Amino acid sequence: AQKITQTQPGMFVQEKEAVTLDCTYDTSDPSYGLFWYKQPSSGEMIFLIYQGSYDQQNATEGRYSLNFQKARKSANLVISASQLGDSAMYFCAMSPLTRHLFFGTGTRLTVIP
Amino acid sequence: ETGVTQSPTHLIKTRGQQVTLRCSSQSGHNTVSWYQQALGQGPQFIFQYYREEENGRGNFPPRFSGLQFPNYSSELNVNALELDDSALYLCAGTSGSRSSYNEQFFGPGTRLTVL
């Protein structure tokens, strides 16, 4: 069984500061993908970043980086230089070989001016 | 823009009725997945179609059914609606092989309210 845990229901960050959103996962699959999605109030899920379980280096996409610690089964999202437009729900998700996604409960990020 | 559209945007139904939600994905998206997102929760996987055949199903009863068509569109049908079916329904398209981790492109969702 797959499980994604996001322990931070809400986070606040000052504009231009960095913030880390936590995610831990549990799976018995030897191979999997890890994703982060952003969901604004409009409802659409916006892909941010992807990490493969066999990737040696942490993924980066612009201001987003994924701190992947395989032994700890954690995949934290780091957002650098926060902007007001970053205020949204953030979901961590995992995909086993079947390719559909298992999502966590999300973290609501609020960027303070 | 993800290239994935859903219709309708909003829908209100009464308990016991049937509903069909539609999704149109990009050319090349041979896989479509449907998710249910209840208020305040993360999306839950309903089922996935790969090349028009069901390729996995989450913990949802048989009254949730689907179809995928050759033109990259798909449908989610829900029979005998219950109050707990009220949620945002998301579809996501992806390309690639059966066992790859390609990015899933989500549509804007259909918000279903069951009264």
Side-chain angles (χ1 to χ4, degrees), chain B residues 3-61:
Chain B
V4 179
T5 60
Q6 292 186 243
S7 62
T9 305
H10 295 87
L11 198 54
I12 299 175
K13 291 284 189 178
T14 56
R15 195 169 44 183
Q17 284 189 311
Q18 178 267 341
V19 68
T20 297
L21 309 183
R22 293 180 173 82
C23 172
S24 180
S25 196
Q26 292 184 42
S27 174
H29 282 181
N30 53 20
T31 302
V32 65
S33 301
W34 284 90
Y35 296 86
Q36 180 197 66
Q37 187 177 18
L39 198 61
Q41 298 185 21
Q44 299 288 316
F45 172 68
I46 303 175
F47 46 58
Q48 181 184 83
Y49 279 81
Y50 174 72
R51 294 183 175 176
E52 303 163 48
E53 291 189 359
E54 190 175 292
N55 182 43
R57 187 178 185 92
N59 190 26
F60 281 81

Side-chain angles (χ1 to χ4, degrees), chain B residues 102-115:
Chain B
N102 295 46
E103 173 190 346
Q104 295 205 12
F105 296 88
F106 281 84
T110 292
R111 188 165 297 281
L112 172 66
T113 302
V114 182
L115 303 176

Side-chain angles (χ1 to χ4, degrees), chain A residues 31-33 35 37 39 41-45 47 50 52-53 91 95-106, chain B residues 2 30-31 33 35 37 41-43 45 48 50 55 88 90 94-104 106-108:
Chain A
S31 180
Y32 48 89
F35 300 78
Y37 283 85
Q39 188 177 44
S41 56
S42 59
E44 188 167 351
M45 300 292 281
F47 167 78
Y50 160 78
S53 60
F91 289 96
S95 175
L97 276 173
T98 52
R99 292 200 292 157
H100 63 266
L101 295 167
F102 292 87
F103 286 87
T105 52
Chain B
T2 64
N30 53 20
T31 302
S33 301
Y35 296 86
Q37 187 177 18
Q41 298 185 21
F45 172 68
Q48 181 184 83
Y50 174 72
N55 182 43
L88 179 69
L90 297 162
T94 189
S95 57
S97 67
R98 200 181 190 100
S99 59
S100 62
Y101 304 112
N102 295 46
E103 173 190 346
Q104 295 205 12
F106 281 84

Side-chain angles (χ1 to χ4, degrees), chain A residues 68-84:
Chain A
F68 179 46
Q69 299 188 46
K70 192 171 182 178
R72 294 187 175 185
K73 293 189 175 179
S74 74
N76 298 339
L77 176 70
V78 180
I79 304 175
S80 63
S82 296
Q83 302 171 357
L84 296 178

Side-chain angles (χ1 to χ4, degrees), chain A residues 12-27:
Chain A
F12 291 87
V13 63
Q14 205 76 36
E15 193 178 5
K16 299 180 185 178
E17 297 292 312
V19 63
T20 298
L21 306 184
D22 294 342
C23 172
T24 58
Y25 61 91
D26 192 19
T27 181

Side-chain angles (χ1 to χ4, degrees), chain B residues 54-73:
Chain B
E54 190 175 292
N55 182 43
R57 187 178 185 92
N59 190 26
F60 281 81
R63 59 189 185 85
F64 285 78
S65 63
L67 286 171
Q68 185 187 24
F69 303 102
N71 64 352
Y72 305 106
S73 66

